[in-house]
């Protein structure tokens, strides 16, 4: 997503920093009670993208900075522990500006002709970034095409909208290119697999309700269903039965909800893994009407100038705002994944705004607190099931049962003063640890005291704290 002029104008106004009131230790602990028998959605993970050549910023860093940035992104004990990487499948002729080059610069003359794929072994830096992620144990790779190559589209270019030739309402003299597009997307997955990265999720659209001068392709949910019905059996035939199709990357929740109902009406819902939405044109609210999982796959603050603040009054890019944004999506809107837009970006792009988590400026970097908001979720691992969590005033709490039996509890203190938070969880967990983030601390370990099945630690005003309960006996794990 890019800037509008009014967003650029808004940059000129910097919000003033608000100084937090001095912390006061409360007399009584606030209690959050976990209920493992109350089960909600399964979590696929948290992630970011390195699309639009941004991955190259990390490729070009020298050691030790390169490893430091990789640790910040992927390390589950010292960084954000991201578990999803969203790669852009290029459709452009070159990799200038925000373009990502395609593996099919020239189509065969007919849809069933033999495609002449050209693989550069880099994929705009994203292959390398994905390979590093594999080393950290990341298992979820979502490769998503912003558009089909221009030669498969009604407008003959991969930019400025246009439709895929062959979907309902879009016919071309050259024929129906849906199968050729499916084959092309599968080729991308094969190339990643040959290079040690197993793509687990595949998308073929990005913001299909928005036409712009970078790669973009228009589609309704109905037209997307035309593609899904060809792509699903093609993936299966190619041996990728476990690769899920995600759709359709709407600019906002309202359009994503339309996509979901159109796909269902077209009879393609059960061929989709996740309905995907961005949050730019309408924010996530309520629960989407679909039987599929729902992912938020791209959002960032496009308005604010670069901020590394945790809490900023009226802020849109501060860590606390993002802690609440992610929390809201997961707890109130049943999301199974929350994926930020760019992991890294330089200073020059879009007037150094907040659409990145880490500013990489040549050979130096700066980390925003948005990254640390995500880090507070790093103990929620893929496959975790969200469970019941309630209680405490001025506390927003969420709990998750990980596949290894550990329980992750994530709490935001909405109050302005420090609180001692007690987490009550039935069962014997010999190991309980906690860490918190606020203005001056990044996922910092804090002492936990346990008595009578309640584990307590202190969290600063407007801080965020995460507890991890581990080592339950098999009996406890089985009882769950
Ligand atoms: C993560 O960070 C810790 C602490 O710095 C380090 O010991 C560990 O090796 C890192 N993990 C990986 C996979 O690099
Ligand atoms: C990718 O999948 C193949 C085939 O299922 C498997 O042998 C390989 O270990 C996987 N690689 C990674 C890094 O998970
Ligand atoms: C939440 O999402 C899951 C799919 O991940 C779905 O089965 C469930 O019905 C959804 N819950 C609600 C309340 O819609
Ligand atoms: C827990 O279960 C595993 C696998 O079933 C077993 O190997 C292990 O001994 C059990 N541990 C305890 C403490 O019972």
């Amino acid at each position: 997503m890019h800037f509008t002029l009014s967003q650029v104008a808004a940059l000129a106004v910097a919000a003033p920093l608000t100084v937090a009131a001095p912390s006061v230790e409360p007399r009584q602990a606030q209690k959050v009670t976990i209920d493992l028998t109350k089960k909600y959605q399964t979590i696929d993970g948290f992630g970011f993208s390195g699309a639009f050549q941004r991955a190259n910023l990390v490729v070009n860093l020298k050691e030790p900075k390169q490893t430091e940035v990789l640790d910040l992104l992927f390390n589950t004990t010292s960084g954000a522990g991201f578990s999803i990487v969203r790669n852009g499948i290029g459709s452009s002729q070159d990799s200038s500006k925000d373009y990502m080059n395609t593996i099919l610069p020239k189509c065969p003359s007919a849809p069933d002709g033999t495609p002449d794929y050209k693989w550069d072994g880099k994929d705009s830096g994203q292959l390398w970034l994905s390979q590093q992620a594999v080393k950290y144990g990341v298992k979820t790779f979502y490769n998503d095409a912003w558009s089909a190559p221009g030669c498969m589209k009604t407008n003959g270019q991969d930019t400025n909208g246009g439709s895929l030739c062959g979907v309902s309402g879009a016919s071309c003299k050259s024929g129906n290119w849906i199968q050729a597009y499916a084959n092309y997307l599968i080729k991308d997955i094969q190339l990643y697999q040959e290079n040690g990265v197993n793509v687990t999720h595949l998308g073929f659209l990005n913001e299909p309700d928005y036409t712009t001068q970078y790669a973009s392709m228009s589609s309704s949910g109905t037209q997307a269903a035309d593609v899904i019905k060809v792509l699903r059996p093609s993936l299966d035939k190619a041996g990728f039965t476990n690769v899920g199709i995600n759709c359709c990357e709407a600019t906002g929740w309202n359009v994503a909800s339309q996509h979901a109902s159109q796909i269902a009406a077209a009879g393609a819902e059960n061929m989709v893994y996740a309905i995907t939405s961005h949050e730019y044109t309408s924010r996530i609210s309520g629960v989407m009407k679909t039987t599929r999982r729902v992912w938020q796959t791209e959002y960032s603050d496009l308005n604010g100038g670069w901020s590394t603040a945790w809490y900023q009054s009226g802020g849109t890019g501060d860590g606390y705002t993002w802690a609440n944004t992610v929390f809201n999506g997961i707890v109130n809107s049943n999301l199974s994944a929350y994926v930020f837009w760019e992991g890294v970006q330089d200073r020059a792009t879009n007037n150094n705004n907040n659409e990145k988590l880490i500013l990489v400026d040549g050979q130096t970097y700066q980390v925003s607190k948005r990254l640390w908001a995500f880090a507070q979720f790093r103990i929620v691992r893929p496959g975790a099931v969200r469970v019941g969590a309630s209680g405490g005033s001025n506390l927003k709490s969420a709990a998750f049962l990980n596949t290894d039996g550990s329980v992750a509890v994530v709490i935001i203190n909405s109050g302005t003063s420090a609180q001692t938070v007690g987490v009550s969880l039935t069962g014997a967990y010999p190991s309980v640890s906690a860490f918190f983030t606020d203005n001056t601390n990044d996922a910092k370990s804090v002492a936990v005291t346990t008595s009578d099945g309640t584990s307590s630690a202190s969290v600063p005003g407007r801080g965020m704290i995460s507890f991890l309960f581990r080592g339950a006996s098999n009996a406890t794990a089985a009882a769950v």
Side-chain angles (χ1 to χ4, degrees):
M1 194 83 178
H2 269 253
F3 258 70
T4 64
L5 281 178
S6 65
Q7 285 168 333
V8 173
L11 272 179
V13 191
L17 264 176
T18 299
V19 180
S23 308
V24 181
E25 286 295 331
R27 278 172 305 235
Q28 240 183 336
Q30 297 281 349
K31 195 154 165 179
V32 171
T33 302
I34 310 306
D35 181 355
L36 295 179
T37 65
K38 213 179 234 167
K39 294 198 167 136
Y40 302 101
Q41 81 273 28
T42 299
I43 302 298
D44 289 308
F46 302 86
F48 70 92
S49 183
F52 286 17
Q53 327 296 330
R54 307 301 185 253
N56 279 328
L57 292 167
V58 190
V59 174
N60 294 336
L61 277 175
K62 294 190 174 68
E63 291 294 11
K65 301 256 194 267
Q66 186 176 70
T67 296
E68 287 167 14
V69 168
L70 289 171
D71 271 331
L72 282 162
L73 294 168
F74 298 120
N75 196 307
T76 56
T77 55
S78 66
F82 282 119
S83 48
I84 299 177
V85 176
R86 174 177 178 241
N87 291 315
I89 301 176
S91 53
S92 307
Q93 290 298 317
D94 60 52
S95 291
S96 63
K97 296 189 268 188
D98 287 342
Y99 299 148
M100 296 177 278
N101 60 296
T102 177
I103 55 168
L104 189 62
K106 198 169 174 290
C107 284
S109 54
D112 59 358
T114 304
D116 182 16
Y117 295 122
K118 307 248 192 254
W119 172 239
D120 68 2
K122 297 191 182 77
D123 207 23
S124 302
Q126 298 175 111
L127 176 65
W128 180 89
L129 185 65
S130 299
Q131 289 169 332
Q132 305 315 304
V134 168
K135 291 185 196 165
Y136 282 88
V138 173
K139 295 209 162 31
T140 306
F141 293 91
Y142 173 29
N143 283 16
D144 180 31
W146 266 232
S147 171
C151 47
M152 298 184 184
K153 292 169 66 186
T154 52
N155 62 342
Q157 50 184 0
D158 72 311
T159 54
N160 296 301
S163 306
L164 179 64
C165 299
V167 299
S168 38
S171 63
C172 302
K173 272 200 221 116
S174 60
N176 180 328
W177 289 83
I178 299 177
Q179 183 65 60
Y181 187 36
N183 298 345
Y184 163 89
L185 295 166
I186 289 167
K187 182 70 186 176
D188 172 87
I189 302 183
Q190 285 165 340
L191 288 165
Y192 266 71
Q193 188 182 45
E194 283 166 21
N195 286 280
V197 180
N198 291 336
V199 173
T200 51
H201 298 82
L202 180 63
F204 57 93
L205 292 169
N206 176 69
E207 303 186 349
D209 53 319
Y210 179 66
T211 295
T212 182
Q213 70 278 9
Y214 51 84
S216 52
M217 180 162 81
S218 305
S219 179
S220 64
T222 310
Q223 292 171 318
D226 294 337
V227 179
I228 292 163
K229 287 175 186 173
V230 173
L231 184 55
R232 183 67 265 163
S234 301
L235 280 164
D236 295 344
K237 210 171 145 208
F240 292 116
T241 51
N242 290 331
V243 173
I245 298 174
N246 286 354
C247 200
C248 317
E249 305 286 319
T251 57
W253 189 247
N254 294 347
V255 177
S257 304
Q258 279 171 27
H259 288 158
S261 66
Q262 289 167 341
I263 288 170
E269 190 180 36
N270 62 1
M271 297 179 202
V272 171
Y273 181 86
I275 299 292
T276 56
S277 180
H278 300 181
E279 277 203 75
Y280 295 110
T281 54
S282 56
R283 299 297 301 275
I284 285 173
S285 67
V287 173
M288 192 179 289
K289 200 168 163 284
T290 176
T291 60
R292 304 293 88 191
R293 292 191 186 183
V294 182
W295 289 15
Q296 194 298 126
T297 42
E298 185 194 315
Y299 188 43
S300 64
D301 168 36
L302 298 173
N303 297 300
W306 173 248
S307 168
T308 57
W310 170 255
Y311 177 75
Q312 193 168 21
S313 178
T316 49
D318 58 321
Y320 182 78
T321 296
W322 276 85
N324 281 282
T325 294
V326 177
F327 184 96
N328 177 57
I330 299 288
V331 176
N332 300 324
S333 292
N334 200 33
L335 297 186
S336 287
Y338 202 103
V339 181
F340 193 81
W341 175 211
E342 297 287 10
V344 300
Q345 193 159 278
D346 61 12
R347 190 178 288 277
T349 303
N350 295 334
N351 287 314
N352 196 23
N353 68 355
N354 283 326
E355 68 186 310
K356 59 211 176 263
L357 298 169
I358 302 175
L359 163 62
V360 175
D361 192 20
Q363 290 298 321
T364 65
Y365 67 87
Q366 275 176 40
V367 187
S368 73
K369 289 279 190 175
R370 295 182 291 286
L371 180 126
W372 294 109
F374 277 100
Q376 290 293 143
F377 286 94
R378 73 187 178 201
I379 51 175
V380 183
R381 302 312 301 167
V385 174
R386 189 167 75 82
V387 294
S390 60
S393 63
N394 288 329
L395 296 179
K396 291 185 176 180
S397 56
F400 306 84
L401 175 61
N402 284 309
T403 56
D404 67 357
S406 64
V407 178
V409 181
V410 177
I411 297 168
I412 298 172
N413 179 6
S414 306
T416 53
S417 38
Q419 308 211 50
T420 297
V421 179
V423 178
S424 162
L425 173 59
T426 306
Y429 293 86
S431 159
V432 187
S433 54
F435 59 92
F436 73 100
T437 295
D438 69 349
N439 277 323
T440 48
N441 299 281
D442 301 328
K444 186 181 165 49
S445 290
V446 59
V448 180
T449 55
T450 299
S451 76
D452 293 338
T454 297
S455 297
S456 307
S458 178
V459 55
R462 292 201 178 100
M464 186 171 184
I465 188 166
S466 303
F467 289 79
L468 183 61
F469 294 77
R470 273 175 301 186
S473 67
N474 286 4
T476 304
V480 173

